[in-house]
């Protein structure tokens, strides 16, 4: 018989991570293990295992005698996140340029159409765009067939999603610029120009990195 404990542990992990990402739990806030156990209708064992996993991934800090605290990413962690993505995603762009299947091209075109709709109307859908933004990068990663790349990039995206969304909410112009950059990357990939696609990916991520760390206008 398969133990239900791993399933409960995973469920607790996803639920608590979701509460952090959607802003229910803010950076610096204390999280009560007891209250989580009651809320999730679980014993403390799977909740504690979930919190330990969240600590490993940088979402919380478990402080002796103080409890569990939602972490704020440091400037170095943000820089490291973007540097890792630049290295991986530029390689991915070179690998998939000119090799995307009709189905993969269609999926990317539909994603770009969705992005344009989210930033081109009277009301900008920030959360919807952030989801489509993540999907665009995920679709390119999936095109390599490398599941380890998918896991690494998803983990890193989860860590900064909340921060990226909060910044984008303050300056909606960022989203339109990002959408245009995605389109340029797609055009280079479709034409088979891997070097140009890789350079565009690096520039796109460098713009995000500088905007998050330094502020100012996006792309400067």
């Amino acid at each position: 018989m398969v133990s239900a404990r791993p399933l409960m542990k995973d469920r607790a992990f996803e639920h608590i991570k979701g509460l952090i990402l959607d802003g229910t739990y803010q950076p610096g806030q204390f999280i009560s293990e007891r209250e989580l156990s009651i809320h999730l209708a679980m014993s403390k064992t799977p909740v504690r295992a979930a919190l330990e996993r969240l600590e490993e991934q940088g979402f919380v800090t478990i402080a002796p005698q103080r409890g569990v605290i939602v972490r704020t990413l440091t400037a170095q962690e943000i820089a490291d996140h973007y540097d890792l993505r630049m290295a991986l995603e530029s390689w991915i762009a070179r690998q998939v340029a000119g090799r995307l299947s009709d189905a993969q091209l269609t999926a990317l075109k539909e994603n770009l159409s969705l992005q344009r709709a989210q930033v081109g109307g009277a009301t900008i859908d920030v959360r919807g765009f952030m989801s489509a933004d993540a999907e665009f990068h995920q679709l390119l990663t999936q095109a390599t067939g490398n599941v380890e790349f998918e896991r690494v990039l998803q983990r890193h995206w989860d860590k900064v999603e909340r921060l990226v969304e909060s910044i984008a909410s303050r300056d909606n112009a960022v989203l339109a610029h990002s959408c245009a950059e995605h389109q340029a990357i797609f055009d280079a990939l479709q034409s088979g120009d891997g070097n140009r696609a890789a350079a565009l990916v690096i520039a796109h991520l460098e713009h995000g990195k500088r905007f998050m760390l330094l502020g100012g206008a996006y792309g400067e």
Side-chain angles (χ1 to χ4, degrees):
M1 180 181 295
V2 178
S3 171
R5 181 165 294 177
L7 295 176
M8 294 180 68
K9 177 179 65 176
D10 293 342
R11 184 158 60 88
F13 170 81
E14 292 297 337
H15 187 85
I16 299 168
K17 183 175 76 170
L19 293 174
I20 294 172
L21 292 177
D22 71 12
T24 300
Y25 293 142
Q26 294 290 318
Q29 182 176 343
F30 286 88
I31 303 177
S32 166
E33 186 178 300
R34 178 175 175 276
E35 289 178 3
L36 284 171
S37 296
I38 295 172
H39 176 69
L40 295 170
M42 296 180 182
S43 70
K44 288 187 177 181
T45 300
V47 171
R48 187 175 297 115
L51 291 170
E52 289 172 352
R53 183 176 167 192
L54 287 164
E55 183 178 42
E56 289 174 2
Q57 296 193 9
F59 287 97
V60 303
T61 297
I62 301 176
Q65 311 304 320
R66 297 184 66 193
V68 181
I69 308 169
V70 179
R71 289 191 67 238
T72 300
L73 291 178
T74 66
Q76 185 61 56
E77 286 175 315
I78 293 170
D80 289 348
H81 161 83
Y82 277 98
D83 289 346
L84 180 143
R85 287 185 61 191
M86 279 186 249
L88 277 182
E89 295 192 46
S90 61
W91 183 91
I92 288 169
R94 289 190 179 92
Q95 292 300 304
V96 305
R99 302 176 184 175
L100 294 166
S101 68
D102 288 344
Q104 290 165 340
L105 288 170
T106 296
L108 285 164
K109 288 176 182 177
E110 290 175 349
N111 173 274
L112 288 167
S113 178
L114 178 60
Q115 289 185 42
R116 287 191 294 271
Q118 289 163 334
V119 301
T123 302
I124 294 177
D125 182 357
V126 175
R127 176 162 281 277
F129 180 83
M130 297 308 300
S131 177
D133 182 337
E135 183 187 46
F136 177 82
H137 292 274
Q138 289 163 357
L139 287 169
L140 295 182
T141 306
Q142 290 166 5
T144 68
N146 190 316
V147 295
E148 289 304 317
F149 282 1
E150 292 182 54
R151 289 172 183 161
V152 168
L153 291 174
Q154 182 61 53
R155 173 177 168 180
H156 278 263
W157 175 260
D158 283 349
K159 287 176 66 174
V160 301
E161 179 185 1
R162 174 187 52 191
L163 184 57
V164 172
E165 184 177 340
S166 68
I167 292 174
S169 296
R170 295 199 301 269
D171 185 357
N172 292 159
V174 170
L175 307 185
H177 286 302
S178 184
C179 180
E181 289 174 350
H182 288 157
Q183 182 66 58
I185 291 167
F186 172 81
D187 292 342
L189 292 171
Q190 187 175 32
S191 71
D193 192 341
N195 287 334
R196 175 167 172 73
L200 288 169
V201 165
I202 290 173
H204 171 59
L205 294 172
E206 184 65 42
H207 290 162
K209 174 183 173 181
R210 290 180 61 82
F211 184 76
M212 289 187 67
L213 292 176
L214 303 176
Y218 183 86
E220 287 185 344

